[in-house]
Amino acid sequence: MQTLAHFADGGPGPWILFFPLIWAAVVVGGITLLRRTVWRGRRGPWRAPEADDNSPIAVLGHRFASGEIDEDEYWRRLSVLDEQFGRKGKGGAA
């Protein structure tokens, strides 16, 4: 029975084990490079958009969540903030 070490007989030798390691390093390096450059600013549908915690809409949401204001006041103030700060509606219309 021949093993990889018997490369003098025309077998591939131990270097055959080195090539999959090279390809794995190329694939891992390519994915790492893409993650650090191209894919950095993109968000998938599974990620929620990050809101600025100091924005008036976020502050209003925090106040509603903590119980400082009721639902009617929340919706009333939110409609005013939407008009003032120009939150985009459906289809990208302002």
Side-chain angles (χ1 to χ4, degrees), residues 2-19:
Q2 294 213 0
T3 63
L4 291 175
H6 293 118
F7 58 92
D9 300 343
W15 294 105
I16 193 71
L17 300 175
F18 187 63
F19 292 112

Side-chain angles (χ1 to χ4, degrees), residues 1-45:
M1 174 158 82
Q2 294 213 0
T3 63
L4 291 175
H6 293 118
F7 58 92
D9 300 343
W15 294 105
I16 193 71
L17 300 175
F18 187 63
F19 292 112
L21 294 175
I22 291 175
W23 281 112
V26 167
V27 169
V28 168
I31 291 173
T32 302
L33 181 68
L34 286 173
R35 287 186 70 191
R36 290 183 175 259
T37 57
V38 178
W39 295 338
R40 171 164 262 174
R42 296 186 182 176
R43 288 196 176 93

Side-chain angles (χ1 to χ4, degrees), residues 28-92:
V28 168
I31 291 173
T32 302
L33 181 68
L34 286 173
R35 287 186 70 191
R36 290 183 175 259
T37 57
V38 178
W39 295 338
R40 171 164 262 174
R42 296 186 182 176
R43 288 196 176 93
W46 57 88
R47 291 187 183 175
E50 296 176 9
D52 183 17
D53 284 339
N54 296 328
S55 71
I57 294 176
V59 171
L60 181 65
H62 290 300
R63 288 185 64 197
F64 176 65
S66 67
E68 292 179 35
I69 58 175
D70 63 350
E71 185 177 1
D72 293 331
E73 187 175 355
Y74 170 77
W75 287 113
R76 189 168 31 89
R77 291 183 182 213
L78 183 63
S79 65
V80 171
L81 289 174
D82 282 343
E83 291 175 8
Q84 186 176 10
F85 289 96
R87 182 188 252 188
K88 292 185 178 179
K90 291 184 179 178

